[in-house]
Protein backbone atom coordinates (compact mmCIF):
# COMPACT_ATOMS: atom_id res chain seq x y z
CA UNK A 1 0.00 0.00 0.00
CA UNK A 2 1.55 3.31 -1.03
CA UNK A 3 1.17 6.67 0.74
CA UNK A 4 -1.77 7.85 -1.38
CA UNK A 5 -3.71 4.59 -0.89
CA UNK A 6 -2.95 4.53 2.83
CA UNK A 7 -4.32 8.03 3.27
CA UNK A 8 -7.36 7.57 1.01
CA UNK A 9 -8.64 4.01 1.56
CA UNK A 10 -10.08 4.22 5.07
CA UNK A 11 -11.87 0.87 4.89
CA UNK A 12 -8.68 -0.96 3.96
CA UNK A 13 -6.75 0.73 6.78
CA UNK A 14 -9.43 -0.30 9.28
CA UNK A 15 -9.45 -3.88 7.97
CA UNK A 16 -5.68 -4.40 7.70
CA UNK A 17 -4.37 -2.26 10.55
CA UNK A 18 -7.03 -1.56 13.14
CA UNK A 19 -9.12 -4.76 13.20
CA UNK A 20 -6.17 -6.95 14.25
CA UNK A 21 -5.75 -4.74 17.35
CA UNK A 22 -9.41 -5.02 18.40
CA UNK A 23 -9.85 -5.60 22.13
CA UNK A 24 -12.53 -7.76 23.78
CA UNK A 25 -15.77 -5.83 24.16
CA UNK A 26 -15.15 -3.70 21.08
CA UNK A 27 -12.86 -0.86 20.19
CA UNK A 28 -9.17 -0.84 19.45
CA UNK A 29 -6.00 -0.62 21.48
CA UNK A 30 -5.50 3.11 21.65
CA UNK A 31 -3.57 5.75 23.51
CA UNK A 32 -4.70 9.34 23.25
CA UNK A 33 -2.22 11.94 24.41
CA UNK A 34 -4.26 14.84 25.78
CA UNK A 35 -3.48 18.36 24.66
CA UNK A 36 -1.26 20.45 26.89
CA UNK A 37 0.65 23.53 25.77
CA UNK A 38 4.36 23.25 25.04
CA UNK A 39 4.25 19.46 24.83
CA UNK A 40 6.48 17.22 22.77
CA UNK A 41 5.37 13.69 21.94
CA UNK A 42 7.92 11.12 20.78
CA UNK A 43 6.69 7.84 19.32
CA UNK A 44 7.47 5.16 16.77
CA UNK A 45 6.05 6.62 13.57
CA UNK A 46 5.66 3.11 12.10
CA UNK A 47 2.68 2.73 14.45
CA UNK A 48 -0.72 3.71 13.07
CA UNK A 49 -1.33 7.27 14.25
CA UNK A 50 -3.27 10.41 13.47
CA UNK A 51 -3.82 13.87 14.89
CA UNK A 52 -6.86 14.16 17.12
CA UNK A 53 -9.39 16.91 16.56
CA UNK A 54 -8.36 20.23 18.03
CA UNK A 55 -9.79 23.70 18.45
CA UNK A 56 -7.64 26.77 19.11
CA UNK A 57 -8.60 30.41 19.44
CA UNK A 58 -8.44 32.39 16.20
CA UNK A 59 -5.49 34.43 15.06
CA UNK A 60 -2.07 33.75 13.64
CA UNK A 61 -0.21 33.75 16.97
CA UNK A 62 -2.55 31.12 18.41
CA UNK A 63 -2.15 28.58 15.62
CA UNK A 64 -1.10 25.00 16.26
CA UNK A 65 2.47 24.18 15.33
CA UNK A 66 3.41 20.66 14.26
CA UNK A 67 7.08 19.80 13.93
CA UNK A 68 8.08 16.37 12.64
CA UNK A 69 11.66 15.17 13.01
CA UNK A 70 12.67 11.85 11.47
CA UNK A 71 15.92 10.13 12.33
CA UNK A 72 17.60 6.76 11.84
CA UNK A 73 16.84 4.02 9.36
CA UNK A 74 13.32 2.58 9.36
CA UNK A 75 13.19 -1.02 10.50
CA UNK A 76 10.31 -3.39 9.86
CA UNK A 77 9.14 -6.74 11.19
CA UNK A 78 11.59 -8.90 13.15
CA UNK A 79 14.38 -6.44 12.35
CA UNK A 80 12.55 -3.86 14.50
CA UNK A 81 11.89 -6.30 17.32
CA UNK A 82 8.14 -6.29 16.76
CA UNK A 83 6.24 -7.98 19.55
CA UNK A 84 3.22 -10.05 18.59
CA UNK A 85 1.86 -10.21 22.16
CA UNK A 86 0.73 -6.56 22.28
Amino acid sequence: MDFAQYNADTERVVHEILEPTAVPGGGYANRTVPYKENRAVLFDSALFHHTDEFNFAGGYTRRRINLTILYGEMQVGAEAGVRSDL
Side-chain angles (χ1 to χ4, degrees), residues 16-71:
E16 292 184 10
I17 298 174
L18 295 179
E19 283 179 2
T21 67
V23 294
Y28 304 104
N30 178 45
R31 173 153 306 156
T32 299
V33 179
Y35 169 77
K36 190 171 185 178
E37 64 185 29
N38 298 321
R39 172 172 284 176
V41 178
L42 305 176
F43 62 94
D44 181 351
S45 63
L47 298 173
F48 183 77
H49 63 279
H50 70 92
T51 300
D52 207 354
E53 292 184 22
F54 54 87
N55 185 19
F56 291 94
Y60 180 78
T61 60
R62 295 183 180 101
R63 293 173 63 170
R64 176 181 180 268
I65 297 172
N66 183 36
L67 177 63
T68 302
I69 301 172
L70 303 174
Y71 60 94

